[in-house]
Amino acid sequence: MPSMENEEKKIKGYIEHFIFKNAENGYGVANLVTDEEEIVCTGNFKDADVGDTLEIEGVFITHPVYGEQFKIANFKITLPDDAVSMQRYLGSGAIKGVGEALAARIVKKFGDETFRIIEDEPERLVEIKGISEKKAIDIAVQMAEKREMRDAMIFLQQYGIGNNLAVKIFNKYGSRIYSIIKENPYQLADDISGVGFRTADEIAGKVGIRVDSEYRIKSGIMYCLLQASLDGNTYLPIDRLISKTKEILALGPESVIETEDIKTQIGNLMMEKKLVCKKDDEIFAASYNYEEQGCAAMLCDLNVSEEVSEQERERYISQIVAIEEKRGIELDELQREAVIKSIANGVVIITGGPGTGKTTTINTIINYYASQGLDILLAAPTGRAAKRMTEATGYEARTIHRLLEVSGQVSDDDSVRHSGAHFERNRDNPLEADAIIIDEMSMVDIHLFYALLKALVPGVHLILVGDSAQLPSVGPGQVLKDLIDSGKFSTIILQKIFRQAEESDIVMNAHRIHNGEKPVLDNKSKDFFFLERNDANVIYKHMILLIRDKLPGYVNAAPYDIQVLTPMRKGPLGAIQLNLILQEYLNPPDKGKKEHLYGEQIIREGDKVMQIRNNYQAQWEIVGKYDIQVDSGTGIFNGDMGIVKEINEYSQDIVVEYDEHRRVRYPFTDLDEIELSYAITIHKSQGSEYPAVIIPLLGGPRMLFNRNLLYTAVTRAKSTVCVLGNSQTVYSMVENEEQLKRYTGLKDRIIEFFDAAEVE
């Protein structure tokens, strides 16, 4: 066997048997027989069967346990072209109902003509003992199906499409793939997850589709709006959309697309109801317009309010005071007003910074509804936020996804298909409650808010709680801000900082930052520390010292509970670089810990990781003693953090344990869904609270280094904040009120619906 590693080779042979094959992701270890030898091959064998003849490209590697193997980069399945190979293929089990003995009889009868006979004259198979007319047809049908799939994959490979994606495309279109690829490959970007505009554009270039093709311009426009949604926008002004589309479609100075051509295709997409124009220049993807309009209409229906007479007001106050006395608390005037509004109004917003009594107010509302024998549900956007809500109230709080009973099934509703979620709770199966309280509303994006409102019926009280000064949601929209700015809902802004909170410099500095005042950095505090450091390498050193040695005992927490929050992903103090350094010192290589290289990232047993996108189909389980399953479910969400418990090179997967001991098994092919999380961006920390946070700040882009980013980072800490960096950077962030503008239409839609309802 060749011993030279990393030299790409091509090999032809047939799969004699699989040593291992994962049915879910196609990864396998196979014994491949060539004309000269038997070779152990590893890689993705999706849609390859025992007996298949393969042409494989890859490299020889030496596995530390299993020895020399051939690692597959890609392969194509070819038809056997001689009698011996044909017999081997038919007898391999690839064709159901044909075993080794029957395969031998077929090939003995027809020889090298066997496959031609099966495809062109299948009725002749009845000449062989043991084959009925029905069985002959079944064998021919199976061969035709496999041939069609094989031909399609070979066809797609010439356009750089790998096996996994080729199977997806074939399953979607069948024999139509040939016309679609040649006429409009951009349709793939609309229909198939995993195919974006860039992939479709590359195929189009190979096919020879013109750079000013209407299909290409339309796809470029939709791609621009998709990219805009990843930045939080639900629409783009038409001039901005045109300029962005020009940038994306330009292949060089000679291929600039004309403005009028883009305008024409925007008009055509509107005719096709894929785009909607508002106010003459706001261009929405139809799904976002539908969701924002739907939210506005449902909020209008929910916002039933009753006039509270003076007598009723006094009765409410006496009931609230009774709750205060029973719980040994005293609400201020605004907090009591928030409770009364929550009783008398269908939709209420309660907002305020840390230490202003949001939790106390929520608890009083819960106690009021409970005292009246009414049902109340609590939820928050993330598992961590829901857990905190449960601890603070004593009542069970769930994530909004679990409240709505998220399912792994893909939704049939076009308006939410792009979000990937299907919820069992909806218009046909609404939530049953008298009041629903949602905490951390600043994190809720338009998709999730739309799904929540669909599960509510008029008459339920919706109480939305959050801190409007925090960063907006990671997903598209700025729901809480738009609701408040519309001026159509009862909104209580809690402002008084309570005495206990006044003792916390985290709270006091957070309010100073929010008010545009300099935080106190004199290090006389017990919970807010600043270390003036102007060199990234020095910051690394102190960060490791704090996490490993100083802070765990100070805040009574494990090193893994202490979180580094950074403004950026890239750069010396970005999340990517910090994770490499922190992993090296907090979870170094060890003979007792398995590890796996994925791309440029090493994942090691014991690593702290984060799920970086919503996966509604991911299955989790909770196991008890003797590994007996005690609970299971689906859905792991963007921002969930866990620990790598196991890496299995044989089955090619890893196990991550998340909050509540939920264990998820990730095939190696899906490791792009998780990343190291010793350090995370401040944006990713929304809704979470940590015993201590460390914030490295040396400077960066003005639009990013702003007041509400710093405010959000500081308010993530429960017990201690440590800022490492430059004091001038901190002060300039406080002074910088600029934020990246989000283009959203929810506020306008709410005003339109409510104004129309008032006219009626």
Side-chain angles (χ1 to χ4, degrees):
M1 187 177 284
S3 59
M4 187 177 292
E5 295 191 6
N6 299 323
E7 182 182 334
E8 190 149 314
K9 294 183 176 295
K10 291 183 180 180
I11 294 174
K12 184 174 180 179
Y14 73 92
I15 300 175
E16 194 256 338
H17 72 276
F18 279 105
I19 300 166
F20 164 81
K21 188 176 182 184
N22 186 315
E24 289 183 9
N25 61 32
Y27 179 87
V29 180
N31 201 57
L32 191 85
V33 178
T34 71
D35 290 340
E36 295 87 25
E37 59 190 340
E38 293 185 12
I39 298 170
V40 175
C41 298
T42 65
N44 195 312
F45 287 95
K46 202 164 181 81
D47 298 293
D49 292 317
V50 170
D52 278 344
T53 299
L54 308 182
E55 290 181 4
I56 293 176
E57 293 180 4
V59 295
F60 281 100
I61 61 168
T62 302
H63 191 280
V65 177
Y66 303 113
E68 200 159 28
Q69 300 177 336
F70 191 74
K71 187 177 181 181
I72 296 171
N74 54 69
F75 70 85
K76 66 178 180 180
I77 303 171
T78 62
L79 275 177
D81 52 11
D82 62 84
V84 174
S85 299
M86 290 177 186
Q87 180 177 331
R88 191 167 55 223
Y89 177 78
L90 290 172
S92 68
I95 304 297
K96 291 177 184 174
V98 179
E100 289 182 17
L102 185 54
R105 293 203 298 273
I106 294 171
V107 174
K108 185 177 180 182
K109 173 75 175 175
F110 299 117
D112 289 351
E113 291 283 288
T114 296
F115 279 10
R116 188 194 65 75
I117 296 290
I118 293 173
E119 290 178 359
D120 299 338
E121 303 176 67
E123 66 278 0
R124 290 190 58 190
L125 288 173
V126 299
E127 298 172 20
I128 295 162
K129 186 180 178 182
I131 299 182
S132 64
E133 188 175 337
K134 182 182 177 184
K135 188 162 191 171
I137 293 169
D138 183 48
I139 291 170
V141 167
Q142 287 189 63
M143 284 289 288
E145 285 175 349
K146 286 181 175 289
R147 179 65 179 263
E148 192 177 6
M149 167 75 85
R150 188 179 298 115
D151 289 347
M153 291 177 75
I154 292 168
F155 171 74
L156 292 170
Q157 280 171 358
Q158 67 183 305
Y159 298 111
I161 297 172
N163 291 339
N164 286 348
L165 195 51
V167 171
K168 268 190 190 179
I169 294 170
F170 179 79
N171 289 340
K172 175 71 177 177
Y173 300 122
S175 60
R176 291 192 299 129
I177 62 167
Y178 304 101
S179 60
I180 287 169
I181 292 290
K182 288 176 179 175
E183 293 169 16
N184 179 20
Y186 297 100
Q187 189 174 333
L188 274 62
D190 290 338
D191 296 343
I192 296 171
S193 119
V195 180
F197 170 79
R198 297 296 186 194
T199 302
D201 203 36
E202 195 174 320
I203 296 169
K206 291 176 181 175
V207 173
I209 288 175
R210 289 174 43 170
V211 294
D212 61 351
S213 152
E214 68 170 273
Y215 295 129
R216 183 169 188 263
I217 297 173
K218 283 180 180 177
S219 188
I221 291 165
M222 299 305 294
Y223 177 71
C224 275
L225 288 172
L226 171 64
Q227 292 301 108
S229 74
L230 298 178
D231 292 329
N233 304 293
T234 59
Y235 77 87
L236 282 180
I238 190 166
D239 290 344
R240 191 176 181 86
L241 176 58
I242 289 170
S243 66
K244 289 285 183 187
T245 304
K246 278 186 175 181
E247 285 176 24
I248 284 167
L249 296 180
L251 297 175
E254 301 82 24
S255 64
V256 175
I257 307 300
E258 297 298 326
T259 296
E260 285 308 311
D261 290 337
I262 297 173
K263 282 186 175 178
T264 298
Q265 297 312 326
I266 288 173
N268 288 338
L269 286 165
M270 288 167 62
M271 298 267 297
E272 294 168 18
K273 298 188 176 178
K274 291 183 177 178
L275 296 184
V276 174
C277 181
K278 296 284 188 181
K279 294 185 176 179
D280 296 327
D281 72 338
E282 297 176 357
I283 307 298
F284 291 78
S287 56
Y288 284 107
N289 178 65
Y290 183 87
E291 286 189 349
E292 288 187 339
Q293 287 205 138
C295 286
M298 290 184 284
L299 285 166
C300 195
D301 291 339
L302 285 171
N303 196 42
V304 179
S305 58
E306 62 177 69
E307 288 293 329
V308 179
S309 66
E310 199 57 42
Q311 187 177 358
E312 285 174 313
R313 187 178 183 82
E314 289 300 321
R315 180 167 60 84
Y316 288 149
I317 289 174
S318 66
Q319 290 171 321
I320 293 167
V321 169
I323 293 168
E324 291 176 40
E325 290 173 351
K326 184 177 180 181
R327 298 186 63 237
I329 59 171
E330 185 177 350
L331 302 186
D332 72 1
E333 192 175 325
L334 276 175
Q335 288 177 304
R336 285 182 184 172
E337 187 63 27
V339 179
I340 293 170
K341 295 281 190 189
S342 300
I343 298 166
N345 292 272
V347 180
V348 173
I349 299 167
I350 302 171
T351 183
T356 56
K358 293 194 298 294
T359 300
T360 304
T361 306
I362 291 172
N363 280 331
T364 308
I365 293 168
I366 293 169
N367 278 271
Y368 172 83
Y369 275 95
S371 71
Q372 303 300 305
L374 300 173
D375 294 325
I376 192 161
L377 295 173
L378 311 183
T382 67
R384 283 174 176 265
K387 185 178 179 182
R388 279 189 13 241
M389 198 178 185
T390 300
E391 291 167 352
T393 63
Y395 284 76
E396 183 194 7
R398 287 171 277 179
T399 64
I400 300 173
H401 289 91
R402 293 189 81 174
L403 180 74
L404 298 177
E405 297 173 21
V406 68
S407 143
Q409 176 186 338
V410 177
S411 176
D412 292 327
D413 185 341
D414 284 338
S415 65
V416 294
R417 185 176 293 161
H418 57 272
S419 71
H422 173 80
F423 296 104
E424 298 297 333
R425 292 291 184 173
N426 49 42
R427 288 190 183 99
D428 300 323
N429 182 28
L431 292 165
E432 297 173 8
D434 297 293
I436 294 175
I437 301 178
I438 307 294
D439 199 9
E440 296 286 358
M441 260 304 295
S442 63
M443 292 185 66
V444 176
D445 65 23
I446 192 67
H447 300 317
L448 193 55
F449 194 52
Y450 177 70
L452 172 67
L453 293 178
K454 282 207 303 180
L456 306 184
V457 293
V460 69
H461 294 261
L462 179 61
I463 300 147
L464 306 174
V465 184
D467 186 345
S468 58
Q470 286 186 24
L471 291 168
S473 57
V474 174
Q478 46 186 5
V479 173
L480 182 61
K481 183 177 187 300
D482 280 351
L483 292 178
I484 294 171
D485 290 351
S486 74
K488 298 297 183 181
F489 306 101
S490 292
T491 301
I492 297 89
I493 303 171
L494 301 177
Q495 295 173 327
K496 179 182 175 183
I497 303 172
F498 286 85
R499 187 180 305 157
Q500 188 176 354
E502 284 180 340
E503 297 172 5
S504 164
D505 288 308
I506 295 174
V507 171
M508 298 311 295
N509 273 339
H511 282 277
R512 289 186 185 105
I513 293 165
H514 178 244
N515 296 330
E517 302 166 9
K518 289 182 179 180
V520 176
L521 305 178
D522 59 8
N523 284 336
K524 294 179 180 177
S525 168
K526 293 180 180 179
D527 61 10
F528 197 106
F529 303 101
F530 174 78
L531 299 178
E532 183 84 45
R533 300 290 183 270
N534 293 295
D535 182 283
N537 290 312
V538 176
I539 289 176
Y540 299 154
K541 177 183 173 184
H542 285 282
M543 195 179 290
I544 293 159
L545 187 67
L546 285 166
I547 296 171
R548 199 169 55 186
D549 303 325
K550 301 292 185 183
L551 286 175
Y554 190 73
V555 297
N556 192 28
Y560 277 42
D561 294 325
I562 296 158
Q563 190 60 53
V564 176
L565 302 180
T566 174
M568 302 174 292
R569 279 186 58 77
K570 296 181 179 179
L573 294 179
I576 296 171
Q577 179 66 18
L578 288 175
N579 273 314
L580 293 175
I581 291 163
L582 293 171
Q583 180 193 45
E584 187 68 22
Y585 285 91
L586 300 179
N587 189 32
D590 187 284
K591 287 183 180 178
K593 292 180 179 178
K594 294 177 184 173
E595 58 184 51
H596 177 74
L597 177 65
Y598 182 81
E600 296 181 0
Q601 176 176 255
I602 292 174
I603 300 286
R604 186 174 294 131
E605 287 178 344
D607 271 336
K608 182 178 177 181
V609 294
M610 172 185 276
Q611 174 79 17
I612 59 171
R613 66 175 67 102
N614 289 339
N615 184 335
Y616 302 98
Q617 284 79 42
Q619 296 183 324
W620 53 261
E621 65 174 4
I622 299 173
V623 296
K625 200 172 181 183
Y626 308 117
D627 285 337
I628 296 171
Q629 186 185 99
V630 295
D631 195 9
S632 64
T634 58
I636 294 294
F637 306 110
N638 190 356
D640 284 354
M641 276 194 189
I643 302 292
V644 176
K645 289 294 184 181
E646 177 190 339
I647 296 177
N648 191 324
E649 286 287 343
Y650 188 73
S651 59
Q652 296 284 294
D653 55 25
I654 77 169
V655 175
V656 177
E657 184 172 289
Y658 291 98
D659 289 342
E660 301 170 345
H661 305 292
R662 293 172 299 146
R663 292 195 169 201
V664 178
R665 192 171 291 275
Y666 292 85
F668 282 175
T669 51
D670 291 347
L671 293 186
D672 59 344
E673 291 196 3
I674 60 172
E675 63 185 22
L676 296 173
S677 61
Y678 299 98
I680 62 174
T681 63
I682 295 166
H683 230 126
K684 288 282 190 183
S685 73
Q686 285 176 271
S688 297
E689 187 178 70
Y690 311 96
V693 300
I694 298 171
I695 311 167
L697 295 172
L698 276 184
R702 179 172 172 77
M703 287 303 292
L704 183 62
F705 276 59
N706 57 30
R707 185 183 299 175
N708 75 334
L709 191 85
L710 180 61
Y711 175 83
T712 300
V714 167
T715 54
R716 297 308 88 208
K718 185 177 182 181
S719 301
T720 299
V721 168
C722 292
V723 180
L724 304 177
N726 185 292
S727 56
Q728 192 51 51
T729 299
V730 175
Y731 297 146
S732 65
M733 287 180 78
V734 173
E735 292 168 4
N736 181 17
E737 290 186 84
E738 289 182 36
Q739 295 181 40
L740 285 171
K741 178 174 173 56
R742 287 198 173 193
Y743 296 103
T744 64
L746 181 59
K747 171 188 167 184
D748 291 338
R749 301 295 85 77
I750 289 169
I751 292 170
E752 289 167 6
F753 268 91
F754 277 63
D755 287 352
E758 287 171 13
V759 171
E760 291 174 8

